[in-house]
Amino acid sequence: VSFTPQSKGLREYTVSIVPSRDEPIPQNNSQSRLVEVQDRQAKVLYIEGEPRWEYKFILQALKQEPSLRLASLLRTSQNKFYRQGIESEDELQEGLPEPKKLFQYEGLIIGSISASFFSPEQQKSIYEFVSRRGGGILFLGGREALAAGGYQNSSLADLLPVDLQTRSGPATLLRTPAKFQLTARGWEQLQLSDQEAANKQDWDKLPPLGTYQLTGEPKPCAVVLGEAVPEDGQHHPVLVSQRFGRGRALLFATDGSWSWRMELASTNHSHEIFWRQLLHGMISETPPFVGISAEKSLYADETKVRLVAQVYDEDFEPVNAAVAVATIHSPDGSTHELTLQHSIQEEGVFWGEWDAAPTGVYKVDLDAQFGGKSIGTATSYFQRTDGVLEYFSAEQNVALLKRLAEQTGGRYYPLSEAASLPEQLTYSPAGVSVPDVRDLWDMPFWLLLLLLLRGGEWLLRKRLKTV
């Protein structure tokens, strides 16, 4: 199910299907889930090495996106830079910021700029921005990008989702039109329309990319989302993604997507939708400095809730000595505080368990402090329901039945072995009888019979002795 929320905030969405005639269990024909559409603005830094059309149209595509703030650093000459989208005069004043300020961003775009532009310390900062901070990074194609910019010989080569070719001859950026085609994984993640048929039509309408860049083979854990297909019919990976450390690294090996905007009607917004989706996907998994969540968004017929929080400082170093207190707002109106304990297994992670008895939506507020000062706050939600799990788990729980049989000295029989059950019961070592102990004086008949037998034995022996 794919849809676009029309409002921000916490919403409960229910998906239902009409029950068929004589359906035995209509209670499992609907599912509800909580979805929080956050009202926040993520920060993305774009570093570009030369004025070019791709840079201009990317900025235009993201200009009207309120949930993204794109701050850009454009090199206009050897030692001059043009800053756009900054919030203060100090932002990006020194070029690529130091790690503490760089970690305030959630995403990073590197355009047509050679790897030598970044000092070894800056390359290390970019590497840790993805691997340790968990930020998203997007490498674009260009005259001085990828292998043409010497990235295969830099420490940033590990971040790239492809093994760059070490070409020393022809340029890797080919100014040849190529059709952009999504792979099977690309269709799952990129959509220009909510409707499947309209989505396919919108992708087919896109003009060819103006350029594509030869990269190399995707790395083993990388996922190819899109390919460039020129007139010769060969397929070249052009949009590739991979997880790296805590973050995500993407490659879009072209500088010609701006033709999608120029060659389509002004009412067609496929170019803008593509770039917004690409950047949102890049930063969707970027962790916050302070966050909390329940292990599950929906607890059906279970009350034990486990809360997990992570606490990091501005350098994204774990704060193991923090005091993390969760305030739980129950649907019945009550409020409870739960002090979370530090996890021994993971740095910067805190956890706690709570018995959520009332059904409904719970709100959890986290306040993390260190040395009496607040590090940060976070909010999350989870839902509790009762009386629904049995309708969604009508199948036989084989693992549970086998475990019960083992613990009670029995045996589990599948339906195919049911015919052997009577014979097996005959030789079963498991007893089902219970001993019943009674006193003899509570049973007169048996007591009298025992006395008569004992007395008869005594008289018989007496008589035999006399004879």
Side-chain angles (χ1 to χ4, degrees):
V1 177
S2 175
F3 65 96
T4 302
Q6 299 301 316
S7 59
K8 298 178 180 179
L10 184 67
R11 299 290 182 268
E12 180 180 0
Y13 292 96
T14 301
V15 179
S16 303
I17 59 175
V18 178
S20 60
R21 182 178 300 179
D22 301 327
E23 185 169 352
I25 307 177
Q27 292 89 341
N28 63 2
N29 283 37
S30 65
Q31 287 262 26
S32 297
R33 289 294 184 272
L34 292 178
V35 176
E36 183 187 6
V37 183
Q38 297 182 347
D39 185 13
R40 70 181 187 90
Q41 192 177 54
K43 296 196 301 182
V44 177
L45 174 59
Y46 182 5
I47 301 176
E48 184 56 79
E50 58 181 346
R52 55 178 183 162
W53 292 109
E54 190 77 337
Y55 169 79
K56 172 185 176 180
F57 282 93
I58 290 176
L59 263 59
Q60 287 186 356
L62 303 173
K63 188 176 182 180
Q64 302 301 324
E65 178 59 31
S67 60
L68 288 173
R69 182 176 75 84
L70 189 65
S72 62
L73 190 66
L74 171 64
R75 184 175 63 177
T76 56
S77 61
Q78 187 64 29
N79 296 313
K80 290 185 179 181
F81 295 90
Y82 179 57
R83 297 177 295 161
Q84 288 183 277
I86 58 176
E87 288 185 325
S88 64
E89 293 183 359
D90 297 333
E91 186 175 6
L92 304 179
Q93 190 172 18
E94 303 297 329
L96 182 71
E98 59 179 347
K100 183 180 297 186
K101 294 182 179 179
L102 179 61
F103 287 0
Q104 298 300 317
Y105 295 91
E106 296 178 41
L108 176 63
I109 304 174
I110 296 181
S112 180
I113 190 168
S114 63
S116 60
F117 168 78
F118 304 104
S119 67
E121 292 77 14
Q122 290 176 328
Q123 291 187 24
K124 181 180 178 182
S125 297
I126 296 174
Y127 186 95
E128 292 186 347
F129 172 80
V130 182
S131 62
R132 180 161 61 87
R133 191 261 183 270
I137 189 169
L138 171 63
F139 293 91
L140 300 178
R143 290 190 311 112
E144 297 185 48
L146 307 179
Y151 281 84
Q152 69 275 20
N153 300 319
S154 71
S155 59
L156 301 178
D158 292 339
L159 298 178
L160 285 159
V162 295
D163 291 316
L164 292 178
Q165 300 177 354
T166 56
R167 283 178 171 254
S168 57
T172 57
L173 182 65
L174 304 181
R175 301 195 178 278
T176 304
K179 184 66 177 176
F180 179 77
Q181 289 187 1
L182 291 176
T183 63
R185 294 294 298 273
W187 283 108
E188 297 175 0
Q189 301 186 28
L190 295 170
Q191 294 180 330
L192 299 179
S193 174
D194 292 342
Q195 304 299 321
E196 184 176 357
N199 181 49
K200 188 177 185 309
Q201 292 177 0
D202 289 341
W203 283 108
D204 291 339
K205 290 178 183 177
L206 290 181
L209 292 170
T211 63
Y212 67 93
Q213 196 147 1
L214 299 176
T215 58
E217 291 298 320
K219 291 180 179 178
C221 294
V223 177
V224 179
L225 303 177
E227 297 174 326
V229 184
E231 291 184 356
D232 60 9
Q234 296 188 29
H235 291 246
H236 303 277
V238 70
L239 181 58
V240 192
S241 171
Q242 75 168 1
R243 292 288 302 176
F244 191 89
R246 289 197 182 103
R248 177 167 297 280
L250 292 96
L251 165 69
F252 191 37
T254 180
D255 68 351
S257 71
W258 60 271
S259 61
W260 294 348
R261 175 68 280 173
M262 288 296 294
E263 298 182 26
L264 290 173
S266 59
T267 56
N268 189 308
H269 301 288
S270 295
H271 179 260
E272 294 91 332
I273 295 173
F274 169 80
W275 276 104
R276 292 169 186 174
Q277 274 199 353
L278 190 62
L279 263 63
H280 278 297
M282 178 182 72
I283 64 174
S284 62
E285 299 169 310
T286 301
F289 289 89
V290 176
I292 188 170
S293 63
E295 287 191 328
K296 295 186 291 186
S297 61
L298 175 64
Y299 288 83
D301 296 305
E302 56 179 323
T303 61
K304 190 175 182 180
V305 177
R306 182 180 177 91
L307 300 173
V308 180
Q310 62 274 354
V311 180
Y312 296 92
D313 61 14
E314 56 187 2
D315 292 317
F316 220 81
E317 294 288 349
V319 187
N320 296 327
V323 177
V325 179
T327 303
I328 303 170
H329 303 273
S330 178
D332 62 3
S334 59
T335 302
H336 311 273
E337 284 193 354
L338 176 64
T339 301
L340 308 181
Q341 55 182 317
H342 176 247
S343 173
I344 301 177
Q345 292 80 13
E346 298 180 84
E347 296 285 332
V349 175
F350 297 79
W351 68 275
E353 292 182 340
W354 179 256
D355 187 25
T359 60
V361 178
Y362 287 76
K363 179 184 178 183
V364 182
D365 292 324
L366 174 68
D367 181 23
Q369 296 189 3
F370 178 70
K373 297 181 179 180
S374 177
I375 302 176
T377 60
T379 300
S380 67
Y381 301 87
F382 67 88
Q383 189 175 16
R384 265 265 301 118
T385 60
D386 277 336
V388 296
L389 187 60
E390 62 177 319
Y391 300 119
F392 293 91
S393 302
E395 70 275 5
Q396 188 182 74
N397 193 335
V398 177
L400 174 62
L401 294 175
K402 286 184 177 180
R403 188 167 66 251
L404 289 175
E406 181 182 354
Q407 293 175 352
T408 57
R411 179 183 170 187
Y412 167 77
Y413 288 85
L415 190 60
S416 59
E417 300 178 12
S420 64
L421 184 58
E423 182 181 356
Q424 294 292 331
L425 287 177
T426 304
Y427 301 100
S428 174
V432 293
S433 59
V434 179
D436 186 11
V437 180
R438 298 183 183 182
D439 295 326
L440 284 174
W441 49 80
D442 291 333
M443 297 180 291
F445 174 77
W446 295 107
L447 178 60
L448 180 60
L449 180 60
L450 181 60
L451 291 176
L452 288 175
L453 290 174
R454 295 287 293 183
E457 180 190 15
W458 181 78
L459 290 174
L460 182 60
R461 289 185 178 182
K462 190 75 172 175
R463 184 177 181 181
L464 290 175
K465 185 177 182 181
T466 302
V467 175

